Amino acid sequence: MKILALDSSGLVASAAYLVDGVMVAEYTVNDKLTHSQTLLPMLDVMRKQVGFELTELDAVAAAMGPGSFTGLRIGAATVKGLGLALDKPVIPVPSVDGLAFQLYGAQGIICPIMDARRNQVYTGFYRFERGQFKVIKEQCAQSMQDTLDQLADFEDTVIFLGDGVPVHRKTISEQLGEKAFFAPEFAGRQRAGAVGALAGIYYQQGKFVTADDFEPEYLRKSQAEREREERLKHEETNI
C-alpha cells in the first residue's frame, strides 16, 4: 500500500511517502517559514527525488489536529485537494496519536503534550501492549494540572514528548518526580513518517474517509474566536 502522509499541525512541516509500511522518504523542516510556503514544495522535491507519481498512491494521510489553526487549515486544504484530484481516500490521524506512535515500544504510559497556551495542552494517554498501540485516553484539550492529576492515578512511569515539554517540564518533574521521563528532543516534534505508519494501521481498521468528508479537528476555539466572544460579552454587559 502506498501512502502519502502530511503533518502541518505544529511548528514542524513534514511529508512522508510509505510503501507497505516502509518509509521510503521523509522531508521534515522546523524553520520560521509558514506551511503554505513549505508544504507543497517539500512534497514536490520528495516526489521527484524518489521518483513516484501521485497517481500511484492508494491513500493520503494527514494529521487531523489538534494543533496550529493556520497549519491545520493549510494541511486540510492540501489533503482535500489531493484526495479529490486523485480520487483517493483520506486517512485522518489524530495529531496526538501520531506523536505518541513515534515512541513505538516504549514502556509505561506515553503522554504527548502540545502547548495550547493559557496553561492548556493538547494531550492523550497511550501505551504499547505486546506491540499493539493502545489509546488509554483519547486526545483532548485540558489544563496541564488536570493532566498531571490524572496521571498521578497510574502506577506506571510516564514519558512525555511534544512542544509542551519545555513549557511544563519543571512542573511535571516537581509533581511526578521519578515517575516522569522525557523523550529526547529529536523525537519530540511531529513527523509525517509516524503519521503514515499509524495511518496504515488505521486504514486496515476501516478508519478512513472521502476527501469531501475530511475535516480538521481543532478541539478548541481559535484565539480570534475567543477574543471576539469576550468582546461581545463585554459589550453586552455594558449595554
Side-chain angles (χ1 to χ4, degrees):
M1 182 176 188
K2 297 178 179 179
I3 296 176
L4 174 68
L6 303 175
D7 193 331
S8 59
S9 62
L11 295 175
V12 171
S14 187
Y17 174 59
L18 298 91
V19 178
D20 296 332
V22 177
M23 190 170 68
V24 179
E26 182 182 59
Y27 193 160
T28 301
V29 293
N30 184 12
D31 57 21
K32 296 181 180 180
L33 296 176
T34 64
H35 295 329
S36 61
Q37 294 173 284
T38 57
L39 202 58
L40 285 176
M42 286 166 49
L43 172 57
D44 192 48
V45 169
M46 185 177 68
R47 183 188 64 79
K48 290 177 180 177
Q49 181 70 30
V50 176
F52 71 92
E53 297 296 332
L54 294 177
T55 53
E56 300 173 11
L57 297 173
D58 294 299
V60 181
M64 62 183 287
S68 159
F69 283 78
T70 301
L72 289 175
R73 291 188 183 105
I74 293 168
T78 303
V79 168
K80 287 175 79 74
L82 287 170
L84 287 169
L86 300 170
D87 192 24
K88 302 296 182 181
V90 174
I91 310 169
V93 176
S95 299
V96 182
D97 291 26
L99 266 173
F101 200 69
Q102 292 179 190
L103 300 186
Y104 184 91
Q107 299 296 310
I109 295 173
I110 302 169
C111 180
I113 49 174
M114 299 172 63
D115 185 23
R117 309 292 177 85
R118 298 187 176 189
N119 204 37
Q120 298 277 310
V121 292
Y122 300 124
T123 189
F125 304 158
Y126 308 84
R127 74 161 82 244
F128 287 93
E129 296 178 358
R130 297 182 179 180
Q132 299 296 311
F133 184 61
K134 301 293 184 181
V135 180
I136 302 173
K137 177 182 176 64
E138 292 187 355
Q139 65 174 20
C140 64
Q142 63 182 20
S143 72
M144 190 65 226
Q145 188 57 57
D146 284 345
T147 303
L148 292 172
D149 290 343
Q150 293 161 11
L151 288 170
D153 293 333
F154 293 92
E155 295 182 358
D156 310 65
T157 57
V158 184
I159 183 166
F160 294 87
L161 74 159
D163 60 22
V165 168
V167 180
H168 301 287
R169 182 167 186 152
K170 181 179 178 182
T171 302
I172 292 169
S173 296
E174 289 175 347
Q175 295 197 28
L176 295 186
E178 295 182 353
K179 280 180 57 176
F181 292 85
F182 301 93
E185 192 64 25
F186 74 85
R189 296 294 183 270
Q190 286 84 352
R191 287 185 57 189
V195 171
L198 188 54
I201 296 173
Y202 285 170
Y203 183 85
Q204 296 299 323
Q205 297 172 353
K207 298 178 181 179
F208 56 88
V209 298
T210 66
D212 272 330
D213 290 337
F214 175 75
E215 295 292 341
E217 184 174 328
Y218 298 110
L219 290 186
R220 55 182 290 194
K221 296 176 181 177
S222 69
Q223 182 176 345
E225 291 173 314
R226 293 196 303 270
E227 289 176 351
R228 180 176 180 275
E229 289 181 354
E230 290 173 3
R231 184 172 65 253
L232 291 174
K233 184 177 180 181
H234 177 72
E235 291 173 352
E236 290 173 355
T237 58
N238 288 319
I239 293 176

